Amino acid sequence: PPSEPAPLTESHGVPHTATDLGFADFKGVLHSHSYLSHDSKISQADIIEACEEVGVDFLCMTDHPSERSLLDGLQGWHGRTFFVVGAEVNHFLAIDIHEPIGGADSQMTVDRIRAQGGLAFVAHSEEFEHWETEGYAGMEIYNIHTDLKDEGKVDRLLPKLPRILEDPAWAMTVIFDEPRALVAQWDRLTQKRRVVGIAGNDAHQNVKIAGLQLDPYARSIGFVNTHVFALAI
């Protein structure tokens, strides 16, 4: 657990928390999948339960597009969590959309998302090439799946399999590497305009070793989070 923050001194009176700045702090998830994606089987009831366990204020469903993903995706209040429906499409997280985007190039994808009043975030930023695209709100500066597939990462996990089986939560910390290249790209973009940096949980609950679920939903959505500071109305 984190240590208690050091008290502010008279010579260093800069506010350090959202509350100090007069904001409410909402913790959320911006990249998540359910049984409505082809590569996940988790039910909506289990997702809601995981959000209650972790204490998530908001979660954006970004299922891979399917015939029912936008119609049947979680929306509105369920327990303590507010759900927003969207999609992972054409290398973007399309947040708060209600019509399919379809196959399109990057600029057309962003334009179609914004035409519905939605927000576009670059997903899997390490693979994205069209940074000249205009109008997207932000980018993933970290993604759990991206971190897992780093070269040699699987080879690093296998020798540690006995400890992983004994303490599955520890496996998440093993894969973490500071995303220096993505943060540097984010920095370059912010020299020109505001670009929001977000965490990509990429929650699927679909990774098993020796029959052990390494990525239960609660673990994935609690490992990293995106925080929204907002003024109370």
Side-chain angles (χ1 to χ4, degrees):
S3 59
E4 289 296 320
L8 298 180
T9 65
E10 192 172 347
S11 61
H12 187 63
V14 179
H16 282 66
T17 68
T19 302
D20 292 336
L21 293 166
F23 291 95
D25 180 359
F26 298 96
K27 181 175 75 173
V29 175
L30 278 159
H31 190 160
S32 56
H33 299 270
S34 73
Y35 77 97
L36 294 167
S37 289
H38 67 275
D39 52 0
S40 179
K41 295 182 179 180
I42 187 169
S43 70
Q44 293 178 338
D46 287 342
I47 291 174
I48 294 169
E49 183 178 342
C51 289
E52 292 287 338
E53 178 181 340
V54 174
V56 173
D57 297 307
F58 66 92
L59 186 143
C60 299
M61 295 304 313
T62 52
D63 281 303
H64 300 295
S66 67
E67 185 178 346
R68 305 294 303 181
S69 58
L70 291 177
L71 292 174
D72 295 345
L74 280 167
Q75 299 185 61
W77 289 103
H78 295 272
R80 62 160 292 161
T81 306
F82 187 76
F83 289 84
V84 180
V85 74
E88 181 181 1
V89 56
N90 305 337
H91 253 307
F92 287 95
L93 301 178
I95 306 299
D96 197 21
I97 63 168
H98 305 280
E99 297 292 336
I101 298 299
D105 61 27
S106 294
Q107 189 60 64
M108 189 175 294
T109 297
V110 172
D111 291 344
R112 289 177 178 177
I113 294 169
R114 296 183 67 188
Q116 296 186 42
L119 295 173
F121 294 91
V122 176
H124 295 286
S125 302
E126 81 287 354
E127 299 174 353
F128 190 66
E129 298 178 351
H130 304 289
W131 294 107
E132 74 284 356
T133 304
E134 298 180 353
Y136 56 87
M139 62 174 284
E140 288 185 340
I141 58 174
Y142 180 81
N143 179 291
I144 294 176
H145 180 254
T146 296
D147 207 7
L148 177 63
K149 71 181 183 182
D150 282 352
E151 184 176 355
K153 195 62 65 67
V154 174
D155 292 338
R156 287 167 50 190
L157 282 177
L158 289 178
K160 297 167 182 171
L161 183 58
R163 180 171 176 183
I164 291 173
L165 294 175
E166 180 181 345
D167 184 8
W170 178 77
M172 297 294 285
T173 64
V174 171
I175 72 168
F176 180 77
D177 290 313
E178 185 179 351
R180 296 183 179 181
L182 295 183
V183 172
Q185 174 63 22
W186 182 37
D187 185 56
R188 286 189 290 270
L189 293 171
T190 57
Q191 304 307 307
K192 300 178 181 178
R193 68 178 182 89
R194 291 183 178 180
V195 178
V196 178
I198 66 170
N201 300 79
D202 213 353
H204 285 78
Q205 191 168 299
N206 65 353
V207 179
K208 288 186 176 181
I209 293 182
L212 182 69
Q213 191 77 54
L214 292 183
D215 64 335
Y217 220 80
R219 188 172 298 153
S220 292
I221 66 174
F223 186 59
V224 290
N225 292 106
T226 299
H227 290 255
V228 174
F229 292 179
L231 290 172
I233 299 176

